[in-house]
């Protein structure tokens, strides 16, 4: 696992963890908000990955502290607005994005690995759209669990190489069970 959370400010981390807990536990009940949260987190992370490219293409913009802080937030908001507006595409995209993030984080970023992850992601996204409610619950629990897991690993200092995947599965499973138990009649 190679996610470096030191690139985020403490405020960004706290906001991400709060959003992650909301998605983890209440994703289906607040699905539009959860989609907004999940896509915001994806957009924010994507912009942090693109920061080195932005620094090389627009160094004068990225040298300004205000722009350096606003650009990731703007990227997160743009992705969130997309996710908020198109439910089925959003769910499929979340499942695909989660599959790719987990693939890259846990199995590496070699081309063959990413291709396999993309194929699995497309298959899982198609299944998710066919099974909307359970897929929303599981996808929001995994997305929230991902953020919560990263926060736990970052703040406790425990070995990410050893505990990332077991912790992610445990947290996401607990969130899924909580959501299934609390949305039986929904």
């Amino acid at each position: 696992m190679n996610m470096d959370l030191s690139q985020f400010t403490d405020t960004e981390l706290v906001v991400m963890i709060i959003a992650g807990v909301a998605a983890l536990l209440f994703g289906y009940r607040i699905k539009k908000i959860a989609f907004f949260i999940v896509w915001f987190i994806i957009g924010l992370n994507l912009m942090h990955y693109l920061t080195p490219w932005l620094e090389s293409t627009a160094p004068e913009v990225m040298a300004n502290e205000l722009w350096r802080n606003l650009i990731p937030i703007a990227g997160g908001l743009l992705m969130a607005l997309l996710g908020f507006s198109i439910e089925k595409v959003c769910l499929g995209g979340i499942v695909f994005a989660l599959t790719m993030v987990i693939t890259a984080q846990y199995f590496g970023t070699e081309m063959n690995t990413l291709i396999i992850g993309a194929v699995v992601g497309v298959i899982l996204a198609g299944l998710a759209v066919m099974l909307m409610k359970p897929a929303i619950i599981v996808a929001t629990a995994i997305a929230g669990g991902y953020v919560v897991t990263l926060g736990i690993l970052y703040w406790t200092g425990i070995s990410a190489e050893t505990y990332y995947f077991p912790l992610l599965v445990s947290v996401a499973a607990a969130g899924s069970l909580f959501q299934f138990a609390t949305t039986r009649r929904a």
Side-chain angles (χ1 to χ4, degrees):
M1 208 214 50
N2 59 5
M3 178 69 167
D4 180 21
L5 292 182
S6 63
Q7 64 186 339
F8 297 102
T9 66
D10 286 342
T11 305
E12 288 174 330
L13 286 173
V14 169
V15 169
M16 281 176 49
I17 296 297
I18 290 169
V21 169
L24 174 70
L25 298 177
F26 307 108
Y28 185 75
R29 290 211 181 267
I30 59 168
K31 66 181 171 184
K32 288 285 190 181
I33 296 168
F35 286 166
F36 188 88
I37 291 169
V38 169
W39 280 102
F40 178 81
I41 291 169
I42 290 170
L44 185 71
N45 279 300
L46 180 63
M47 292 310 296
H48 278 288
Y49 281 120
L50 293 176
T51 297
W53 177 77
L54 290 172
E55 287 173 344
S56 67
T57 57
E60 59 282 347
V61 172
M62 295 305 286
N64 184 319
E65 191 67 26
L66 176 66
W67 286 111
R68 189 171 188 79
N69 290 327
L70 285 180
I71 287 175
I73 293 169
L77 287 173
L78 286 173
M79 292 294 284
L81 290 173
L82 169 72
F84 184 74
S85 61
I86 311 168
E87 191 171 290
K88 285 185 180 183
V89 172
C90 176
L91 176 62
I94 288 172
V95 171
F96 180 79
L98 287 172
T99 304
M100 292 306 293
V101 166
I102 290 169
T103 299
Q105 293 289 322
Y106 198 69
F107 299 107
T109 57
E110 294 80 30
M111 186 55 70
N112 290 340
T113 304
L114 292 177
I115 290 170
I116 292 168
V119 169
V120 171
V122 167
I123 292 168
L124 291 176
L127 288 172
V129 171
M130 291 174 16
L131 305 165
M132 204 66 168
K133 180 182 177 180
I136 290 171
I137 289 173
V138 172
T140 57
I142 292 172
Y146 172 74
V147 174
V148 170
T149 297
L150 290 179
I152 290 170
L153 293 173
Y154 180 73
W155 279 317
T156 63
I158 61 176
S159 170
E161 288 75 26
T162 304
Y163 295 106
Y164 168 74
F165 203 63
L167 190 57
L168 173 63
V169 170
S170 300
V171 171
S176 293
L177 291 173
F178 180 84
Q179 286 192 61
F180 278 116
T182 59
T183 61
R184 283 196 176 140
R185 294 183 179 92

